[in-house]
Amino acid sequence: MTFWPAVRILTAVLLSVCASFAFAGEDAAQTGPKPQEAEVKVSELDTAELLANIANFKTLRTKFVQTKHLKAFKKPMVLNGELCLDRPGKRFAWHVEKPLKYSCVIANGKLTQWDADSDKTVSVPFSKYPMLEMLSDAMTAFASGDVKALEKDFEAAAGKDGTVVLKPRSEHFAASLITEVELTLDESKTKIVKVRASEKNGDVTELVYTDSVFDSDIPDALWQAKQKK
Amino acid sequence: MKSLLRRVILFGLRRPVLAAVLSLLALALAALPLLTASFSADITRMLPSGSESERACAVLLNSGLFNQSAVLFTADTEERLDAASSEIDTIANKITSVPGVTRVDNRFLPDDLPATLASFQEWIPQFQPFSGLDAAGIVSAAKRKILLGGFASLVLADPTGFAASKLAVLEQFRSASSFHLKDGETAIVAPDGLHRLLLLETDVSAADTAGGRKLMDDLEAILAAHPLSGIRAELLLAHAHSIENERVIKSDVKLACILSVLFFVPAILLLFRRDLRALAIPVFPAAVSLAAAGLLAIPGEPVLLFVTATGGLVIGLAVDYGVHVYMTMQTPCPVRRLVRIAPSLLTGAATSSAVFLLFALTPIPGVRQFGVFIGISLLASLLLTLLLFPSILIRTKAPLPKPHQLKTFSPKLACGICFGLMALFAVLAILRLNIRTDLRQFDAAQEKLSETADAVERLFLDGPAQGVLAVHGTDADTALQHAESVCASLTGKDPELAESIFSPTFLIPTKAEREANLTSWRASFNFDAFAKSLRAAAEDEGFEPDAFDPFLASLQRGIEAPDLNANPDVFAPVLNRVLRPAADGNGWYAAVFLPESALSLAEGLPPEIETVPISRADIPAQIVSDMKSAATLPVVLAIFSVFAIAFLFFRSVRDSLCAMIPVAMALLTVCAVYALLGKPLNLAAEISLVLLSGLAIDYGVFVNGSERSANPYVFRAISASALTTAAGGLTIAFAGHPLLHEAGFALIPGVLAAWGAAALLLPSIRRGFVKRVSSAPLKSFLLALIPAFLPFTTACHSLPYEYDPVPPLTETEWPLYRDKVQPPAEPMKPFAFQGKVTFEYKFFKQATLCAVSYDESGELRVAAFSPSGGKIFELSGTADALADFWFMPIDVLDGHEKEAAGFILADFFHIFGSLAPWRGVKTGATENVKDDSKIIRREPFGDDGGELVSVFWGSKLPVMGKYYFKNETIDWQSWYFRYIVKDAVIFPEIIVYDNYKHGYRLILTVSDLFEDSES
């Protein structure tokens, strides 16, 4: 037991990075970047039609601002970076620029993360942690607003002021952490511009996409975890 | 190879005169370039080529933006400085005529402000587009200003207020550059009124030692010719560093020459029984090193003086070959024996040379030059010794020295255990070894000159540290255009920057803008009509009709005869320092001032705009980071290459490993000596480690070879070699230059250890092998040696940041500072911040984000996030108890969350707790001890008999580090590498915390500090 603190805490930190991605993805699905286009009210829209058309794209490359409001801290924590999504290739890249340079790329059956401070790259294959594949799918679904893919675990409904609200089904483990995830759509009602996640402990995370580009070629360099320091 | 060496030896013996003449000719030819070579003592040549720090230092030296040349006058009283004002003006005028001085700025603003404002009007048509001039409005506004108390002379000189608005930009410069002056002063006087500066601009590069020395002499002559009563004048020249470094190295070269004679001559006479012919031994490497220095000059690069100063070292190393030749020539059948040992000698020399020539692969120009110098010198010394020395020795023989068999200590087991334990002890010592790669420690002038530079900074600069973005352009106008684009990009990314940024484009527009503005004036403005209506309006408002004539004349001049390449004189003191041609003639630089924290925004600028971020705080850290990666390569390459070459020679892993034993012992011993003395291992010591690798492998090869061929003289040979090499080390260990001193200092224990391992341990192991492969001495030694290599694989436990050196406390300073480091009486104040935490455990590193707050009730809250945005944990509690915690659900922590939360909370209280006292400290029982430049505060801590030791660095308060000491071991330590000063609050910015109990490290970087506990 004398050695466990360091080992456990470290393992916890490593795994939590992977696990937190799932929640960040939820956050992404819920909060989202500052909308570029006017938001629309969808409360009167047909939910089924809305869900059928949402996230109808192959690739996404967008800048993001993630703002985390913690109940116990009054100043929010803000992350800026770039997010890339390749749905057919099942690839997901999360590059943080500020306050620290960090990247996490999910591609080719593994999660690879890197940060400029340690300048170390760590890869975790799905074969070793099968849970990661599940998390990867969930992340892709949240980041792209693919509500259909999430319907198994979340109940979707049209919310106020042009939003789609996702509530975790009671049997899903996310229900112990998340109250709801709110998606804000663009004018075409097909693409996400903002995700807001409310957690049970009172924390709220917003993820806002800016400069989103859909269905474009994403440079190979963005699918590498290690970035220029 | 053997045949070639045989021919060389026989040629030297058969035709000694011809061999000597040819050798002399070759050496003279090689040394010839020295006559036209340029020499440099520029310490920045030790920075890796192409690295960020090298780029930053090159810009610092070449851009002219950071010309630190100045004269600082310090008076006893303000009145005395005021009284000397005109004399200082005279000195400034005299300095203007000094060759190399292109400008002297004596005043920030001109004395005659109305004249300045009036002449400024001619720039209106260039600096702003025409948008109409209302003559009646101008006159009416001027009248209003005068009636409200404005100075008529100023108002009439600048009726449009244009000049005043442009001069206000200077205030923005002052604010952005943190430059503070005494209120109401036009001269450059510090806010305390006791110090005045003359800023000098020179066209002499800071790296030009000869030019710098001439400039310094001229300036000192002027100051000496104009003594000021009660006022001290000090020169602050950027050139002083290279001048001082050169002075120290030149004196070191002289010292090394004297010591070489003092050490080598008696040592050789002692070793070789007063045989005067042996005095020729050091002559060969001395001649070769001179020729090798000449070869360094061939590529056209300046020859580094501290490289040539290592000539004594070359002699120390290369006399080995002479010693071996001498000893061999005393044996029966000397030539045959010499031909037989020549391949061994060549292998040894080739190994050492190869190790040094590998330095050519490093990115550090200074190290490359050093490697080539020593590598060539060693190999050429051997060849010259083999060619010329036997012919001197063959004629008469000295009495044959008594053969000395290599010792095989009995029992051999004891020898193995003894060395094994030594190695183990060394390993334990090395665990405490620190590494310091900051190059500034090798600046011989650093300590001497930093005092004045610090004084200027302290007197004239105030506020947060400012960064500079040096923006390059092919000419002044392109640099301005680029600076404009950079400012637009930066303020686009962070609009708040607009208030704290400064660019030369705020003072003057680009040429294209000037032309466009002028065109608009010429196209739309009717000067005659405006002049007529202005005079009429003036008369109507009660002014004299010609009251605005100076303004009109200036404006007319600006429209009709503008100089598009000139700038207002009033801007010159600032503009000439923020828009400068590069000293190397390669384009121009514009300096954009901005907060250091915003320098990172410069990433992502268009690639055609070349910018170099300059941060006073970050450059040292960048140097450390660049040097760390660049300095590791030679050591690693050296160890692998000596093994590879030994293997090529022996074609046996077993023999090669045996030959490596002296190498391992030498490296371990040097590291252990540094650790035990508390000295950090630096670049010079690392160079010595490489040198030792090449040297010790020689001993290993010789002893292994002699064990094979039963050479009875090898003990004497390697002993003589060790003695002369140590003497070579001593010649530079007494040097004044830190780089040379450190290299020599590290060499001596390493040589002794290598000798011990080769002469005493290796024969025992070898003979154990002969008897049976699994010999007891080898086993016992290797058993102890295996952990010895662990530190090299896990890296020494060094701190990732470094402190600037601080001069030792004087006896008068000590009582003052002793009382300052008492535990503060106030309770810890609330704080809150966000930042990064890098978690390190063995090979694992992970960066996370954190938010921390401490409130008045004594509760600390910590939350950590993965950079992916997910929260990892959140906890809160006081120093006594954990109040609340939450961890992301992760199996590995299952059931241990509370324990983990308790550890984390305790760690954060350790880090921040006794920056102000907290309840664990028993105040009143402290003991402060002076330790060189440090003050150590010891105090009982907690209830378990432990002790908290806080370390302060003289005047560099607050605390630099602290550690918790219990039962003779350190449980944890926390070091503070940089402090933020915000709103009169001092708070640590970079913290390295080691928890030795559990073996992990936290590196905490504070990025946002908040005013209260709301984070």
Side-chain angles (χ1 to χ4, degrees), chain B residues 25-94:
Chain B
L25 277 175
L27 290 172
L29 201 64
L32 210 56
L34 280 179
L35 297 175
T36 53
S38 62
F39 292 87
S40 166
D42 182 4
I43 199 77
T44 61
R45 301 275 301 164
M46 298 301 281
L47 288 170
S49 303
S51 63
E52 280 296 317
S53 50
E54 195 249 357
R55 282 181 69 210
C57 287
V59 170
L60 278 171
L61 285 174
N62 293 325
S63 66
L65 297 175
F66 303 90
N67 191 342
Q68 288 188 16
S69 299
V71 184
L72 175 66
F73 296 95
T74 305
D76 302 336
T77 60
E78 287 189 51
E79 293 73 28
R80 213 184 271 274
L81 191 67
D82 287 341
S85 183
S86 61
E87 289 171 85
I88 293 175
D89 289 343
T90 308
I91 291 173
N93 286 334
K94 293 265 181 192

Side-chain angles (χ1 to χ4, degrees), chain B residues 964-1015:
Chain B
Y964 178 62
F965 202 64
K966 194 179 80 177
N967 299 331
E968 303 301 313
T969 55
I970 294 175
D971 270 12
W972 55 264
Q973 65 173 15
S974 185
W975 295 93
Y976 307 88
F977 287 87
R978 203 190 292 170
Y979 279 86
I980 303 170
V981 182
K982 186 179 176 186
D983 301 326
V985 172
I986 300 174
F987 199 78
E989 184 181 5
I990 296 175
I991 302 150
V992 179
Y993 175 81
D994 285 299
N995 186 322
Y996 289 116
K997 206 169 174 182
H998 303 305
Y1000 59 84
R1001 166 177 280 180
L1002 304 175
I1003 301 174
L1004 197 62
T1005 309
V1006 175
S1007 49
D1008 289 305
L1009 180 67
F1010 304 114
E1011 287 175 10
D1012 51 26
S1013 60
E1014 295 179 355
S1015 138

Side-chain angles (χ1 to χ4, degrees), chain B residues 947-961:
Chain B
E947 189 178 43
L948 183 69
V949 181
S950 305
V951 183
F952 298 83
W953 248 14
S955 55
K956 302 277 180 182
L957 298 171
V959 69
M960 65 184 281

Side-chain angles (χ1 to χ4, degrees), chain B residues 569-606:
Chain B
D569 280 345
V570 70
F571 285 167
V574 172
L575 200 55
N576 281 302
R577 282 173 178 78
V578 296
L579 184 66
R580 301 272 311 153
D584 57 7
N586 181 23
W588 281 63
Y589 282 97
V592 174
F593 288 76
L594 68 169
E596 281 197 340
S597 56
L599 281 174
S600 59
L601 293 177
E603 290 173 16
L605 288 171

Side-chain angles (χ1 to χ4, degrees), chain B residues 31 46 244 375 440 597 639 697 720 749 799 846 853 881 886 910 955:
Chain B
M46 298 301 281
E244 181 64 9
R440 292 172 302 161
S597 56
I639 292 170
I697 193 73
L799 292 168
Q846 176 65 53
S853 76
W886 176 90
H910 292 158
S955 55

